[in-house]
């Protein structure tokens, strides 16, 4: 079990499959502040979820292990994925994301309410730059760097098949670019700028291109205010499986 950043580096490198990686992530305790927070939230459920057991642990990535497409989010929501144990499950952000993915034929259901609801993804995996719920939805720079080591390994394990990565928000965009550099992918300089539907081309270690796509985050801050509309989300997500720029 990872107790610090060095353990994360060692255990991430040792993971030979995504299943092994997910298992190591799900018991990680490397970030003291986040461990305390996720467990504190789990011990004091929101009134509307009283009586429900909270996951209260790191939330592993979710989806098709053979996917050519990956979505990188920010971090689990305190009463969403930190409660249900599955990425973007049990909150309004997830409602938006999975409804759009269902419309695109990539999610088997338009809703994502709990880990046993039968939802499956087709040719898509979903991860986050931090796997534990952070206070105020903001991991520190150090926490992002520590958890980023899991992302390094995830990208490396997916690399043979992966063709496109969609980043929800600028933090995910920057974390993915940093991870790509660390594992030896060629990232354009100057660094590509985040924007909704911004597209950058990275080169994997064997020289094959991979598309990085920006998308405003599906947080209520964006969806309630019209910064991100359903049409905008569908358009950005659709780019995961096309070659358009
Ligand atoms: S945020 Fe990541 S590195 Fe930190 S404790 Fe959670 S899983 Fe481990």
């Amino acid at each position: 079990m990872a107790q610090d950043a060095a353990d994360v580096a060692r255990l991430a490198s040792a993971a030979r499959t995504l299943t092994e990686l997910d298992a190591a992530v799900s018991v990680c305790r490397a970030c003291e502040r986040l461990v305390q927070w996720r467990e504190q939230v789990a011990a004091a459920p929101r009134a509307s979820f009283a009586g429900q057991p909270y996951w209260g642990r790191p939330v592993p990535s979710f989806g098709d292990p053979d996917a050519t497409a990956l979505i990188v989010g920010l971090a689990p929501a305190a009463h969403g994925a930190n409660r249900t144990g599955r990425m973007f499950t049990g909150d309004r952000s997830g409602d938006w994301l999975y409804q759009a993915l269902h419309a695109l034929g990539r999610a088997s259901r338009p809703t994502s309410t709990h880990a046993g609801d039968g939802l499956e993804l087709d040719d898509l995996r979903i991860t986050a730059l931090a796997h534990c719920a952070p206070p105020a939805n903001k991991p520190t720079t150090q926490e992002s760097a520590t958890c980023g080591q899991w992302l390094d390994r995830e990208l490396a394990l997916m690399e043979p098949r992966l063709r496109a990565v969609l980043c929800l928000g600028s933090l995910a965009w920057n974390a993915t670019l940093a991870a790509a550099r660390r594992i030896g992918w060629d990232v354009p300089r100057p660094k590509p700028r985040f924007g909704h539907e911004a597209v950058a081309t990275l080169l994997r270690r064997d020289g094959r291109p991979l598309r990085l796509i920006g998308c405003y985050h599906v947080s209520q801050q964006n969806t309630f205010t019209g910064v991100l509309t359903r049409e905008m989300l569908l358009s950005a997500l659709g780019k995961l499986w096309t070659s358009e720029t």
Side-chain angles (χ1 to χ4, degrees):
M1 179 194 302
Q3 301 280 3
D4 58 28
D7 285 349
V8 173
R10 178 174 54 78
L11 290 169
S13 307
R16 289 163 301 170
T17 65
L18 292 171
T19 303
E20 287 184 8
L21 186 71
D22 291 343
V25 167
S26 68
V27 293
C28 180
R29 300 182 69 85
C31 305
E32 191 178 345
R33 186 184 78 116
L34 299 191
V35 171
Q36 280 181 7
W37 177 251
R38 76 194 192 203
E39 293 178 355
Q40 185 183 320
V41 170
R46 222 177 232 173
S48 50
F49 303 125
Q52 291 186 20
Y54 269 54
W55 176 253
R57 290 164 45 192
V59 179
S61 304
F62 168 59
D64 181 352
D66 297 319
T68 66
L70 176 70
I71 291 176
V72 183
L74 172 57
H79 298 279
N82 186 57
R83 174 173 58 88
T84 61
R86 194 173 67 190
M87 287 285 172
F88 288 100
T89 296
D91 61 16
R92 298 298 289 270
S93 299
D95 292 346
W96 268 70
L97 183 61
Y98 290 112
Q99 192 176 67
L101 289 171
H102 183 257
L104 292 167
R106 299 296 173 177
S108 61
R109 303 162 58 93
T111 59
S112 176
T113 54
H114 59 95
D117 61 11
L119 175 67
E120 291 182 4
L121 302 182
D122 177 25
D123 196 19
L124 174 66
R125 186 168 156 93
I126 301 178
T127 190
L129 72 92
H131 285 271
C132 294
N137 292 321
K138 280 191 187 152
T140 64
T141 304
Q142 182 59 52
E143 290 159 355
S144 300
T146 300
C147 210
Q149 298 176 107
W150 296 124
L151 181 60
D152 294 356
R153 189 62 181 154
E154 184 156 26
L155 291 178
L157 288 169
M158 293 185 73
E159 181 175 8
R161 293 174 303 280
L162 193 61
R163 292 169 56 188
V165 180
L166 181 136
C167 300
L168 291 170
S170 60
L171 293 178
W173 175 270
N174 290 333
T176 303
L177 286 173
R181 280 210 178 94
R182 285 194 298 268
I183 65 171
W185 294 1
D186 190 58
V187 175
R189 290 189 188 276
K191 187 175 86 174
R193 289 172 65 102
F194 172 79
H196 189 73
E197 298 205 41
V199 178
T201 301
L202 316 184
L203 299 178
R204 287 171 278 185
R205 286 173 284 197
D206 62 4
R208 287 181 302 151
L210 178 144
R211 298 163 69 246
L212 190 73
I213 302 153
C215 179
Y216 292 150
H217 197 280
V218 286
S219 66
Q220 291 187 37
Q221 203 177 359
N222 288 337
T223 56
F224 274 23
T225 57
V227 169
L228 179 67
T229 65
R230 293 190 191 283
E231 292 70 28
M232 288 168 69
L233 179 58
L234 280 169
S235 179
L237 288 171
K239 286 181 180 289
L240 277 168
W241 296 277
T242 68
S243 55
E244 297 168 26
T245 54

